[in-house]
Amino acid sequence: MTTEKSGLHTRNLHRNSYNFDELISCVPELKHYVFTNAYGNLTINFSIPKAVKLLNKSLLQHFYQVRNWDIPDENLCPPIPGRADYIHYIADLLAGNSKEIPKGSSVKGIDIGTGANLVYPLIAHQSYGWEMLGTDINQKSLDNAQKILDENPDFSEKIQLKFQPESNFIFKNILTSQDKFTFSMCNPPFHDSEESAMKGNLRKTKNLKNSKAQKPTLNFSGQHAELWCEGGEIAFISKMIEESVLFSLQILWFTCLVSKKENLFKLNSLLKKVDALEVKTIDMAQGQKVSRILAWTFVPKNRRNSF
């Protein structure tokens, strides 16, 4: 029986339960981690990092034709369905009232903090044909992202990478005065310290194992810049908003994930203070987890067709 996952976007290719026969045909090693749970369904143990990584590798190959995807064990291994959701909601945002989703290389997006996994640009390009720029403050992460592109030369002309040399900046050093982008996107580090990140992961591991785990295991891994920054997500997104003013006519829609609902009031107040012309909060739900996309623009409606 095919079961549909609750909450995922209607265009999300991962709405139905995983067909592990198809996925194992893409990545045979995955079969060692697949088992039948108490409900009679095939699944993997999501608390095992290797299993999560192999699942991602198979999903990217089967649904998006990404060959030989791999990341170092210490880097963030993102859940693919949720990453795809962000892309599809951006597509809706760009379509606006017309409901016609813009496709092809006329749409150019920036993924702030693309990481070693490069997942957002890969899904965006393969789903809609968009051109993408991935940025990061970690050169080793970008080196791995480049390896993924080298394994998939068809993507290389449409997905570019750029190193951010100063961790205090987001758009500075990345955009030249001539650049124009349709949107920016970001999954910010939402913890304010390593201790906070570990505590959060311990809670997640306990839930996954339904156990009394005492030692945090980063089953989705992740390094400093991927998981935490000083001040947490509220500080990071506030900095992004303030810096967006400097590039207000070069990016049509600035967007960012917000994991903590209580941060929205302060962020919306800051957007009002910097005179954003339009602000949207887009709710996303994957199972029991609820997050949202904060989107804002400084471009008047009569000038948005130029992006």
Side-chain angles (χ1 to χ4, degrees), residues 106 180 182 249 252 299-307:
S106 62
K180 266 194 172 184
T182 321
L249 299 181
L252 174 55
V299 180
K301 286 185 177 179
N302 61 359
R303 292 179 58 188
R304 291 179 190 175
N305 288 338
S306 64
F307 282 82

Side-chain angles (χ1 to χ4, degrees), residues 8-18 62-64 84-85 88 126-127:
L8 290 177
H9 192 283
T10 54
R11 289 193 303 278
N12 196 314
L13 299 178
H14 313 290
R15 284 174 66 84
N16 295 325
S17 54
Y18 297 133
H62 179 67
F63 288 100
Y64 305 103
D85 249 27
H88 294 307
Q126 287 299 87
S127 298

Side-chain angles (χ1 to χ4, degrees), residues 24 29 35 43 70 91 128 133 139 182 237 244 260 263 300:
I24 290 168
E29 192 182 352
F35 67 97
T43 187
D70 197 13
Y128 297 111
L133 172 66
Q139 185 60 57
T182 321
I237 302 172
S244 71
K260 297 177 181 176
N263 287 338

Side-chain angles (χ1 to χ4, degrees), residues 66-86:
V66 178
R67 296 184 297 275
N68 299 319
W69 180 89
D70 197 13
I71 56 171
D73 289 340
E74 66 269 18
N75 283 105
L76 187 67
C77 190
I80 302 300
R83 294 300 194 262
D85 249 27
Y86 191 174

Side-chain angles (χ1 to χ4, degrees), residues 75-290:
N75 283 105
L76 187 67
C77 190
I80 302 300
R83 294 300 194 262
D85 249 27
Y86 191 174
I87 297 293
H88 294 307
Y89 280 109
I90 285 181
D92 291 343
L93 177 70
L94 299 183
N97 295 330
S98 74
K99 306 297 184 188
E100 187 176 335
I101 293 166
K103 297 180 179 180
S105 56
S106 62
V107 175
K108 295 178 171 59
I110 309 178
D111 177 23
I112 304 297
T114 199
N117 60 74
L118 197 64
V119 163
Y120 283 131
L122 292 170
I123 295 177
H125 177 64
Q126 287 299 87
S127 298
Y128 297 111
W130 298 341
E131 288 192 6
M132 296 293 295
L133 172 66
T135 76
D136 208 285
I137 61 172
N138 187 314
Q139 185 60 57
K140 284 179 71 175
S141 291
L142 288 181
D143 290 344
N144 193 79
Q146 185 58 53
K147 276 186 190 176
I148 295 170
L149 290 177
D150 292 344
E151 293 284 348
N152 297 272
D154 291 350
F155 305 164
S156 292
E157 286 185 16
K158 303 301 182 183
I159 300 175
Q160 305 295 321
L161 302 172
K162 196 165 185 178
F163 176 60
Q164 169 57 273
E166 297 180 77
S167 60
N168 287 330
F169 293 147
I170 296 171
F171 301 109
K172 289 179 185 177
N173 301 323
I174 298 299
L175 273 71
T176 71
S177 59
Q178 306 302 313
D179 285 331
K180 266 194 172 184
F181 285 88
T182 321
F183 69 90
S184 67
M185 64 186 305
C186 182
N187 185 7
F190 53 83
H191 295 288
D192 56 11
S193 66
E194 181 176 11
E195 181 185 12
S196 170
M198 284 299 186
K199 281 181 178 176
N201 206 270
L202 178 57
R203 284 193 299 274
K204 184 165 67 172
T205 302
K206 282 182 178 178
N207 290 336
L208 287 170
K209 291 182 175 178
N210 195 22
S211 70
K212 295 180 180 178
Q214 295 302 318
K215 187 177 179 183
T217 304
L218 287 171
N219 59 312
F220 295 94
S221 297
Q223 295 183 311
H224 177 176
E226 295 174 320
L227 296 177
W228 70 91
C229 68
E230 188 174 343
E233 79 170 8
I234 187 71
F236 187 93
I237 302 172
S238 295
K239 180 167 64 175
M240 180 182 290
I241 290 171
E242 289 165 355
E243 204 175 311
S244 71
V245 178
L246 303 175
F247 301 92
S248 59
L249 299 181
Q250 291 184 253
I251 297 176
L252 174 55
W253 282 104
F254 297 88
T255 79
C256 190
L257 286 181
V258 181
S259 68
K260 297 177 181 176
K261 189 176 183 180
E262 60 268 27
N263 287 338
L264 284 174
F265 178 79
K266 185 174 180 182
L267 294 171
N268 276 293
S269 297
L270 182 55
L271 284 165
K272 194 172 184 179
K273 185 178 174 184
V274 299
D275 295 326
L277 287 184
E278 190 173 354
V279 178
K280 293 175 180 272
T281 302
I282 303 162
D283 289 330
M284 295 198 306
Q286 295 113 43
Q288 294 180 334
K289 183 185 175 187
V290 177

